[in-house]
Amino acid sequence: MRQLTWRRPRALTVLAVAGTAAVVAVFAAMVLRGRPAEAMYGLYLFQNGPSGVVLLWMGRLILLRQPGNTAGRVLVVVGAIHVLHVLVMIAADVALVSAGFPQPLGDLAQLIVPADLPLTAAVPLWVANWLWLPAPLLAATVLLLAFPDGTPRGRATRPVLAATAVGGAALMAAFVVDAWPTADWPTQEPPAVVLILLATGGPLVAAAVATSVAVLLIRWRQARGPGRRPFQVAGMAAVAFAVVAVATYPWQHIWTPAILVSFNLLIVAYALAVARYRLHDLEPVLGRAAVAATMSLLVAAVYATVVIGAASLVGQRVDSRVLPLVAIAFVAVLVEPARRRTRTVVDRLLFHRRTDRTEVMSRLAAHANVAPASDVVTEVTDLLVRSTGAARAEVHLTHEAAAELPAAEPPVLRTTVQHHGETFGEVRLYATARADLVPDAAQLLDDVAHTLGVVLHNERLTTQLRDQLDELHASRRRLVEAHEHARRGLERDIHDGAQARLISLRLRLGALRARLGHHGDQSVSNELGLIGDDIEATIRSLRALARGLHPPLLEQAGLTDALRSHARDLPIPVTVTADSIGRYPRAVEAATYFACLEAVQNAIRHSQATTVTITLAGGDGQLHFQIQDDGTGFDPTTARAGTGLVNIHDRLSALGGQTRVYASLGKGTRVTGRIPVEAR
């Protein structure tokens, strides 16, 4: 077994190397013999030589990893047929020139019949006439039946192969008879047996090809998800083949080589699709570099074919030996741009790559500063799948429970996400095998992981800062609530303590004065009356002080009634209007109440206002208020904010609110504020 597995790869390599050397030797011999490009074109060297080399090497690559792959075997056979055809045609050309027929083969076929030629030329031409036939037959039937995994299957396989074999044998027999070395009939008047064989084999082959196409379409309709990807490559190549065939048909000199080259491109696309279907069974050399080089060679072949076809189209005979060298020089100039373009196309077809590395990093950098980390992580997984050829990408963060669980399948590539020595997790790429990924996948993954580490580090800092700000706001709210609680406690202490005792003392003095009024000194009674008046004044002062600390009406009836009650004792008219005002947390009502009083006091003391309007409104989870006066106003660009406005700002900002002051000279002042609240 070891000997067999060692010899088979060597045999395939020897075959591919021998085919390549043979094609190179044929072209070198033609140039050294001074044969014009038209002669090479007439011998189908440009059409069959390069494609034969490509098919041999691609078939070898597939068979190295999949020895039983039918598609690989067919590609090798078709490539060998092309190389043999090239060798047979140069043998015929040597014999023709020696016999005195240096004209291009296309022109010569219109002038003579095989019997007019020496056997040394007639026999190679006879072999070439039927040798090419198996190549299109295999490509049009077996390759279609074996698509996309390289294994023919289904009930239609045997009938199609049988029809292809019988029909192909009939067609080959027709070509064998038609170009017999001693035939003396014109090309336009073949024997009846040739027509019979063509009429027999043609329909059989046509039916086999039609059935193969139908089987391929059925497989395409039944394929789902990733199973449809190989069909995209072959489908695009088939469409391109049809476009070339139709577009070049009016120019027959170009149409024939264009059809042959397009046919070879179709075969290459087929091989790429099979390689993509089982990419993990091939070496990465089948990836970007090898396929790009192959496509560059095909570009050169197409260019040379078009140049020669165009020269023939304009009717100029090309006998110069310089033309092939000029064509090679032009191709050399075009190889690098074609290689870069082909590399992009190959990445899309072979690795399903839709985004390159530069675009990935640009898009990631653009999102890193504006999007939250969760969105960036989602963007990372999508970009990695689009740019690396991976089946899927995952980001596992250290704080996620899933990161501690063992993966159901090991990733083919992974890297750690860290920044400044802090580890955040890792990024993983999953594929059938490492060869499914583009060659620079590891470097791209490292770059993405580094950028993601920066994003997650900044997100953590932002979260910490946000938490600290939230704690600061909560702390300020607690201070305000504690302050209001202390004010309410002090108000209760004054009301229930000192004020109550003074009232009791006032009542006792009144009773004592009443008794002295009947039996005692009148002067003492009058003095007690004065003391009682002082106690009454003290009680009123304590009541005013208690209301200033925290008016009981604010706790009992709410913000609107408390403001209206206070407005009745002010020296100027103050109007209070309220819209959709309910009850709110004590701290919010107290902050709004004292902010309104502060603004009203400023209007009375500093702006010489004659009327003030207080407007309250609720809605949208906020309590809004506005104090508008008709005073003298001030210039906000020159005036400094006084203690009153600063107190208003501090009260509201402690509860997450905002305040603004609008003023101008001679037009009064307007103070607005809002506090986020939840009605209770």
Side-chain angles (χ1 to χ4, degrees), residues 32-292:
L32 293 175
R33 292 172 55 237
R35 298 295 287 156
E38 281 189 349
M40 299 184 195
Y41 168 76
L43 296 172
Y44 295 95
L45 300 185
F46 287 117
Q47 297 88 331
N48 292 330
S51 61
V53 173
V54 171
L55 292 169
L56 283 175
W57 283 104
M58 297 193 73
R60 170 190 174 273
L61 286 174
I62 294 177
L63 290 176
L64 282 180
R65 299 304 183 186
Q66 301 180 47
N69 191 292
T70 302
R73 294 175 179 175
V74 171
L75 292 179
V76 170
V77 171
V78 173
I81 290 174
H82 283 202
V83 173
L84 289 175
H85 194 276
V86 168
L87 295 175
V88 171
M89 292 305 285
I90 191 174
D93 184 69
V94 171
L96 287 172
V97 173
S98 300
F101 298 100
Q103 301 93 330
L105 187 60
D107 298 338
L108 189 62
Q110 306 297 326
L111 303 176
I112 61 175
V113 296
D116 298 332
L117 300 174
L119 289 179
T120 54
V123 171
L125 291 176
W126 169 70
V127 173
N129 194 59
W130 52 263
L131 179 62
W132 63 274
L133 185 60
L137 291 179
L138 291 173
T141 56
V142 178
L143 287 183
L144 296 184
L145 294 175
F147 194 80
D149 58 355
T151 303
R153 59 179 181 271
R155 292 179 295 179
T157 300
R158 289 187 177 181
V160 168
L161 294 179
T164 302
V166 175
L171 293 178
M172 186 172 291
F175 291 129
V176 167
V177 174
D178 184 50
W180 193 258
T182 59
D184 57 357
W185 52 81
T187 305
Q188 297 80 6
E189 300 177 5
V193 65
V194 173
L195 299 178
I196 294 174
L197 290 172
L198 291 176
T200 302
L204 288 175
V205 171
V209 172
T211 305
S212 301
V213 173
V215 170
L216 181 64
L217 293 177
I218 292 173
R219 288 186 179 180
W220 171 69
R221 291 292 301 272
Q222 294 175 346
R224 294 292 182 270
R228 282 202 169 195
R229 293 177 183 174
F231 291 93
Q232 297 175 357
V233 181
M236 288 188 294
V239 171
F241 176 79
V243 170
V244 170
V246 174
T248 60
Y249 184 77
W251 299 276
Q252 289 297 310
H253 289 82
I254 299 178
W255 185 79
T256 300
I259 286 295
L260 291 174
V261 172
S262 300
F263 173 77
N264 291 325
L265 287 175
L266 182 60
I267 298 299
V268 171
Y270 175 94
L272 289 178
V274 174
R276 181 64 185 91
Y277 188 81
R278 296 293 187 202
L279 184 61
H280 55 278
D281 290 331
L282 299 175
E283 293 288 350
V285 70
L286 186 59
R288 298 170 65 187
V291 177

Side-chain angles (χ1 to χ4, degrees), residues 316-627:
Q316 296 180 355
R317 297 185 61 85
V318 184
D319 297 328
S320 174
R321 301 181 183 180
V322 179
L323 182 59
L325 299 178
V326 174
I328 292 174
F330 275 104
V331 170
V333 173
L334 296 175
V335 159
E336 181 58 23
R339 185 190 66 82
R340 289 196 300 267
R341 179 59 182 168
T342 303
R343 192 170 186 173
T344 302
V345 174
V346 169
D347 279 348
R348 292 183 179 179
L349 298 180
L350 192 60
F351 297 104
H352 209 61
R353 185 177 194 174
R354 301 183 298 276
T355 307
D356 61 16
R357 181 180 174 189
T358 303
E359 183 179 354
V360 169
M361 300 310 299
S362 298
R363 292 180 58 179
L364 187 57
H367 285 76
N369 296 325
V370 297
S374 57
D375 292 347
V376 175
V377 169
T378 303
E379 182 77 5
V380 162
T381 56
D382 178 65
L383 288 175
L384 286 176
V385 170
R386 292 168 58 88
S387 60
T388 62
R392 75 177 191 275
E394 296 179 356
V395 177
H396 292 263
L397 303 180
T398 53
H399 65 270
E400 295 178 348
E404 305 298 331
L405 300 177
E409 58 177 305
V412 297
L413 206 59
R414 67 201 303 171
T415 189
T416 302
V417 179
Q418 58 183 3
H419 184 68
H420 287 173
E422 183 179 6
T423 300
F424 297 93
E426 65 179 18
V427 184
R428 304 171 183 174
L429 295 182
Y430 293 87
T432 306
R434 176 64 176 84
D436 283 346
L437 305 180
V438 295
D440 62 346
Q443 187 173 0
L444 176 59
L445 189 63
D446 290 339
D447 293 342
V448 170
H450 174 74
T451 304
L452 185 59
V454 175
V455 172
L456 294 175
H457 178 74
N458 292 340
E459 177 75 8
R460 178 166 297 181
L461 293 179
T462 302
T463 302
Q464 292 175 353
L465 179 60
R466 188 181 298 112
D467 292 342
Q468 292 175 358
L469 289 176
D470 292 342
E471 177 59 27
L472 178 60
H473 287 308
S475 176
R476 296 182 66 181
R477 179 181 287 272
R478 288 194 298 269
L479 288 175
V480 170
E481 292 175 350
H483 179 65
E484 295 302 324
H485 180 74
R487 292 170 68 99
R488 289 195 304 272
L490 183 58
E491 184 271 332
R492 284 194 301 269
D493 291 341
I494 293 174
H495 182 274
D496 298 336
Q499 182 178 330
R501 291 180 181 180
L502 287 174
I503 292 174
S504 176
L505 180 60
R506 176 69 178 87
L507 293 175
R508 290 171 61 189
L509 284 175
L512 179 60
R513 182 184 179 191
R515 288 197 302 270
L516 289 176
H518 298 287
H519 307 288
D521 188 352
Q522 186 63 34
S523 61
V524 174
S525 176
N526 292 337
E527 185 65 24
L528 290 175
L530 293 175
I531 294 174
D533 293 339
D534 290 340
I535 293 174
E536 186 67 31
T538 303
I539 292 173
R540 288 195 299 270
S541 298
L542 286 176
R543 285 175 177 172
L545 177 61
R547 285 197 301 269
L549 290 174
H550 191 85
L553 191 60
L554 179 62
E555 184 77 18
Q556 298 167 3
L559 182 60
T560 304
D561 290 343
L563 287 173
R564 287 172 177 168
S565 174
H566 182 81
R568 286 193 290 266
D569 298 331
L570 295 176
I572 63 174
V574 176
T575 304
V576 179
T577 60
D579 181 20
S580 302
I581 295 298
R583 296 306 305 272
Y584 300 96
R586 293 175 177 175
V588 173
E589 290 185 338
T592 305
Y593 175 81
F594 288 110
C596 291
L597 295 191
E598 195 80 51
V600 171
Q601 291 298 327
N602 283 343
I604 295 173
R605 293 175 183 174
H606 306 297
S607 68
Q608 302 176 5
T610 58
T611 60
V612 177
T613 301
I614 300 176
T615 304
L616 304 174
D620 299 331
Q622 297 187 93
L623 174 59
H624 299 264
F625 66 88
Q626 174 181 290
I627 301 91

Side-chain angles (χ1 to χ4, degrees), residues 634-641 665:
F634 63 92
D635 185 359
T637 61
T638 58
R640 298 178 60 184
L665 290 174

